[in-house]
Amino acid sequence: MKSVVSQVAVVGSGISGAVCASSLARNGVSVTIFESARGPGGRMSQRREVAEDGKELVFDHGVPYFSVSNAEVLGLVREWESRGLVAEWKENFGSFDCISNKFVDIQQEGLTKKYVGVPGMNAICRALCHEPGVDSKFGVGVGRLEWLEDENLWSLVGLDGQNLGRFQGVVASDKNIVSPRFTNVTGRPPPLDLNLVPEFAVKLQDIPVIPCFAFMLAFGEPLSAIPIKGFKIINSEVLSWAYCDSSKPGRSASSEQWVLHSTTEYANSIIAQTGLLKPSEATLTRVAEELFHEFQSTGLNIPLPFFKKAHRWGSAFPVTSIAGEEKCLWEKNKRLAIAGDFCVSPNIEGAIVSGMAAASKLISCLQ
């Protein structure tokens, strides 16, 4: 086991955890990231699929892009641009009205800069998780965080009971670490016992989230009836967003790929029928058919795709912001930070700001 001197565990490798880990490492703090998924990204993950003809398809099935207004975040984004991790997505967006079946409010390119990861949205998190000083462990879920009072350290235990090590500080960038949702899905108590941090309990007990279904489509030919590459869908009970994923910088042009997002109401109706456990293939097939039918009903001359698949995004967006001006929840005596978009604002920029704030708290405490 490594020395515990200035060692911090970061739970979760979404953009908040990845930015936090990178910032800590650049300031001389040894960091270990624990991520239960096979790779980094969180809502910026990529999805690899294989079509019937064997063609590999890659989708950004979570957040399609992000924008920036915070000066400090903009500085980070410019650094990522210089490293080839980020590029501006220079396409016009708009809205489509399902009552009139017309495009409205088409925005001209450049009014709001839209940034994407290159060659996929997860490129940023992947690079940050492999920077010097950051040790990333993927496929390792944290089952329990124990505070060792006598040693003034944290002990982390895996879902399988494995000892994951002892750490001077912990950053939890996954809200499920304290959420009843963790219990609903796994049947186990959340990893962090809120009795250890009673001042967090009220804020963290149950952070409401908005669910969504993402629907991935691949076509052999461009959808020529659609004049823009991304649009909000209004007056639909089923669909809320559509964007041409393959139009982003650095993507393959071998097929035209689209990702559609369902409305919250539609996602809630499915979850009410099936519960929070992983949806069955039959459920996902039905969702795919219903979302595609709604897409076709727009009258936009949508041909049959050669690939289509639905994915449930169970906690797409937090409804509340819980940290206020602090930008993260911080327990100084135990060197515990809780960070994520749910602390600041429900978007990528909010997650980055929160991750930077958590790193700052720990750096000032450990140095």
Side-chain angles (χ1 to χ4, degrees):
M1 190 178 73
K2 292 180 182 178
S3 166
V4 296
V5 176
S6 295
Q7 191 174 24
V8 171
V10 174
V11 183
S13 69
I15 190 65
S16 186
V19 164
C20 180
S22 171
S23 181
L24 287 167
R26 291 184 182 197
N27 282 274
V29 178
S30 176
V31 184
T32 303
I33 293 177
F34 295 99
E35 170 58 63
S36 59
R38 290 175 296 177
R43 71 179 52 202
M44 296 176 77
S45 296
Q46 269 193 323
R47 181 77 171 247
R48 293 185 180 274
E49 298 287 350
V50 179
E52 288 183 1
D53 64 358
K55 181 196 290 278
E56 184 180 73
L57 303 168
V58 182
F59 295 90
D60 293 332
H61 65 305
V63 172
Y65 68 93
F66 63 97
S67 55
V68 178
S69 58
N70 179 286
E72 197 172 359
V73 175
L74 187 58
L76 262 186
V77 171
R78 285 176 176 155
E79 180 205 326
W80 297 339
E81 277 188 291
S82 71
R83 296 169 61 184
L85 301 174
V86 166
E88 189 181 344
W89 189 12
K90 297 181 179 180
E91 294 288 352
N92 295 340
F93 275 30
S95 299
F96 182 83
D97 185 351
C98 286
I99 293 178
S100 65
N101 279 10
K102 291 181 179 178
F103 285 97
V104 295
D105 301 327
I106 294 179
Q107 302 163 351
Q108 292 306 303
E109 173 192 322
L111 290 180
T112 301
K113 287 188 176 183
K114 297 179 282 287
Y115 294 101
V116 298
V118 178
M121 288 297 283
N122 68 347
I124 307 164
C125 295
R126 189 174 298 281
L128 297 179
C129 287
H130 290 93
E131 289 191 339
V134 180
D135 180 18
S136 294
K137 299 185 181 298
F138 299 108
V140 180
V142 175
R144 195 164 70 253
L145 282 79
E146 299 176 344
W147 175 246
L148 307 177
E149 190 72 46
D150 292 345
E151 299 179 54
N152 198 29
L153 296 172
W154 286 98
S155 171
L156 270 62
V157 180
L159 285 169
D160 57 0
Q162 177 188 1
N163 174 23
L164 300 178
R166 297 182 179 185
F167 301 87
Q168 282 197 316
V170 171
V171 178
S173 65
D174 181 351
K175 58 183 170 294
N176 286 332
I177 203 164
V178 294
S179 171
R181 182 183 180 82
F182 183 91
T183 304
N184 294 335
V185 173
T186 68
R188 305 165 61 113
L192 178 62
D193 182 353
L194 283 175
N195 289 322
L196 292 173
V197 279
E199 64 274 27
F200 289 1
V202 174
K203 292 181 177 180
L204 284 170
Q205 270 296 344
D206 191 10
I207 301 168
V209 293
I210 295 174
C212 172
F213 278 93
F215 182 37
M216 298 164 280
L217 296 157
F219 301 90
E221 299 293 334
L223 303 189
S224 55
I226 301 180
I228 51 181
K229 298 303 183 184
F231 54 95
K232 182 180 179 182
I233 300 170
I234 54 179
N235 292 316
S236 169
E237 295 180 357
V238 178
L239 291 176
S240 64
W241 260 100
Y243 55 92
C244 181
D245 202 41
S246 53
S247 71
K248 296 176 181 178
R251 272 55 171 184
S252 169
S254 62
S255 63
E256 179 150 304
Q257 296 174 206
W258 284 74
V259 177
L260 280 56
H261 287 172
S262 77
T263 61
T264 302
E265 292 74 20
Y266 175 83
N268 278 329
S269 71
I270 299 296
I271 291 171
Q273 298 168 34
T274 62
L276 287 173
L277 295 178
K278 183 179 179 180
S280 66
E281 286 302 315
T283 295
L284 291 175
T285 298
R286 174 167 67 93
V287 168
E289 292 299 333
E290 290 175 354
L291 296 181
F292 184 64
H293 176 75
E294 184 75 0
F295 197 30
Q296 282 191 311
S297 72
T298 58
L300 291 172
N301 193 27
I302 308 297
L304 288 175
F306 67 81
F307 175 87
K308 64 178 188 291
K309 189 169 187 176
H311 167 80
R312 191 185 71 187
W313 191 6
S315 13
F317 303 102
V319 178
T320 57
S321 171
I322 65 171
E325 292 183 2
E326 292 293 309
K327 311 300 183 188
C328 67
L329 299 186
W330 172 239
E331 212 295 317
K332 184 177 181 180
N333 293 330
K334 293 185 175 70
R335 299 176 298 281
L336 171 69
I338 310 285
D341 56 1
F342 54 94
C343 290
V344 178
S345 57
N347 50 38
I348 298 302
E349 183 175 36
I352 293 172
V353 167
S354 187
M356 293 167 71
S360 177
K361 298 285 189 186
L362 276 157
I363 290 164
S364 64
C365 192
L366 292 171
Q367 292 184 341

